[in-house]
Structures are given as C-alpha cells and as structure tokens.
Amino acid sequence: MLMRNRISTVILVFAGIASVVWQQGAVALFLGAGLAISGLVQPPSIASQWSKLALQTGVVILGLSLPFSEIIRLTSDNGLIVCSMVLLTLIGGVCLQKLFAADLTTGRLLTTGTAVCGGTAVATMAPVLQASATQVAQALTIIFVLNGIAIIGFPLIGESLGMSQEAFGMWAAIAIHDTSSVVGAASIYGDEALATATTLKILRILWLIPLILLASTQLKTTQSKGLQVPPFVILFIIASVIAGFMQFDKSIVGYFTLSSKSLFCAALFLIGTQITWESLKSLSGRLVSMAIALWSLLSVSSLFWILSLS
C-alpha cells in the first residue's frame, strides 16, 4: 500500500508539471480526470484547497496585467448583457426545475451555479438552502462535466464563427460555469480573451451577494457567511489599480500573464483529479436534463446577443 501511494504521488506530480508546461487548460483538466477515474492516482485530501488557491492567485496576478481603466471600460460596456443573462438564467432555472420535476434544493443549486459562478455558488448557497452532502455532490459533478465540455467546445465554436478575442471573452465569462473553466477556455483562445473573460466573470461573481441575501431572507436562515465579497475579487481590483498606476513594461506584463496561465492549468489539473466514477453514477437523469437545458438557454441566448453586437 505504501509503495502504491508513492507511485501515485510521483504520477500526480509529473502529470501536474506536464499540465503546467503544456499551458493547455483542457489538457490539464482531462488529464487529471482521466488519472482519477482510472484509479492510477489518489489525489491528496487537500487537492480542492490547492486548486482553489492556485486559481485565485492566478486571477490576482492577472490583475497586474490589466489596468483598472480597462476594467471600467469592459464593465461599463458589457454590464447590461452580464446582468441580463444572470437574470434570464435564474428565471429559466425556476421554470425548468418545474418542467423536469427536479429535486427542489439541488435544482436551486444548479440554477445558482449556472447563473453566477459554478461550484463556488453551489458551495456558498448550500448552507443557506440547507442542502445535504448528496445534493451538493450531484450539483458539483454535473457542473464539473459541463465545464469540461465548455473548455473543449467553446474555443472550437468561437473559431468556427470567427469571433473576436473580446467577443469570445464576453461569451466565456457569461456562459461558462466556473471561473477556472472560464479562464481555461479563454486562455486557449488568446490573451485578450483571457483578460476580458476574467474581468466580466468577476462582475458575474458579485451577483452572489444579492442572491444569498434573498435566499437567506426567504428561508429565514443566517447560516451563510457569503454576504462578504470574496477576498480574491478585492485583491484582483487592487492589483488592477496597481497596474494602472505603475504602467508595467510589456515584458513584465507578459511574465504576469504566463504566471497566471500556469496557475490556472495547475488548478484545472487538481480539479480534474477530484472526479470519481461513484459521483458520476449517482447523477439523476432529471437533474442532468435540467442542467443541460438551462446551460443551453444561457449559452445560445448570450451567443446570439454578442454576435449581434459585432
């Protein structure tokens, strides 16, 4: 058993390094998932914490390459579509949940995760909705699978439609669930797409605050601490202010971008190692159907809107 654990650790380390070197988010995600599902590796119990730390650190570093004036421009130009798509998804989730007769609590978790920020929204809303561990696991597994599809599919669709870097970044930020997968897909498409996607995704994440407040009021619960703005969002804005003040040289900005991409790849690899056959087998057909329908509604409607702006 000890020898097997050592071999598993060696495989995990080398595969993680390879993911970072390749600089391909999709490869990193599916490499991690493949190793976990095949049973070749046993990821450490703190893999989730490591992936979260790598992701959030990467977002903050990316802020150093994005002056605050650019953030203001992106949010002012695109705030309407982001807010509209969040509201459309929330309303669509309520309707589709009834249509598919899906579990109420898990359906709400999926709706919030699709509308705002994937797994982060699920984890934050779970105590507010008093969700069970099984309900949380099902929602997270569905979102994980859809994230994997998005990292592969979105860049291919963007290329086939001839989308500009900024247009694709907008679409990724609005329609892909998790921040990790947003930056994964956008980094494949290009540096400008990555900067746009990260900025607008931050705006989408901020919707967690009114949603948690609303859910807490309706359910009369005070269990959640989610009314606070995530610290990495604040640090991202601070880093962007520093970037605007310092006016870094292009070579330094390139270093920041490379560092953030490497951290994103490491985060995606670790996220992939956390999927198991057991979690896939436990999925409900009704929930999967609802999640796919809701994501399709968000993806297609936001894509048509963005293309109409071009």
Side-chain angles (χ1 to χ4, degrees), residues 35-165:
L35 289 173
I37 292 174
S38 66
L40 291 177
V41 301
Q42 295 178 334
S45 58
I46 58 174
S48 177
Q49 297 173 345
W50 286 359
S51 63
K52 183 178 179 180
L53 177 61
L55 168 65
Q56 295 183 352
T57 303
V59 169
V60 174
I61 292 176
L62 186 63
L64 292 171
S65 65
L66 191 65
F68 191 67
S69 59
E70 183 67 8
I71 290 181
I72 297 298
R73 183 189 71 80
L74 287 170
T75 53
S76 61
D77 290 349
N78 306 302
L80 175 61
I81 184 173
V82 172
C83 295
S84 298
M85 289 297 104
V86 169
L87 290 173
L88 172 66
T89 307
L90 292 172
I91 295 171
V94 173
C95 297
L96 290 172
Q97 182 178 309
K98 294 180 179 179
L99 178 64
F100 289 100
D103 173 71
L104 179 61
T105 300
T106 313
R108 286 176 172 175
L109 291 176
L110 283 171
T111 297
T112 308
T114 305
V116 184
C117 53
T120 301
V122 170
T124 306
M125 290 293 290
V128 181
L129 299 175
Q130 301 177 353
S132 67
T134 300
Q135 290 170 324
V136 173
Q138 287 188 332
L140 288 176
T141 301
I142 292 172
I143 287 174
F144 170 86
V145 173
L146 295 181
N147 278 332
I149 295 172
I151 290 177
I152 296 292
F154 270 53
L156 294 176
I157 294 173
E159 290 285 355
S160 66
L161 294 176
M163 297 180 72
S164 68
Q165 292 275 317

Side-chain angles (χ1 to χ4, degrees), residues 199-231:
T199 302
L200 295 182
K201 183 60 175 176
I202 294 295
L203 177 61
R204 191 173 157 206
I205 289 173
L206 293 177
W207 270 86
L208 262 181
I209 298 174
L211 288 178
I212 293 169
L213 181 61
L214 177 61
S216 299
T217 301
Q218 287 185 335
L219 300 175
K220 294 181 171 52
T221 176
T222 58
Q223 296 181 43
S224 173
K225 298 180 181 179
L227 295 179
Q228 303 172 359
V229 177

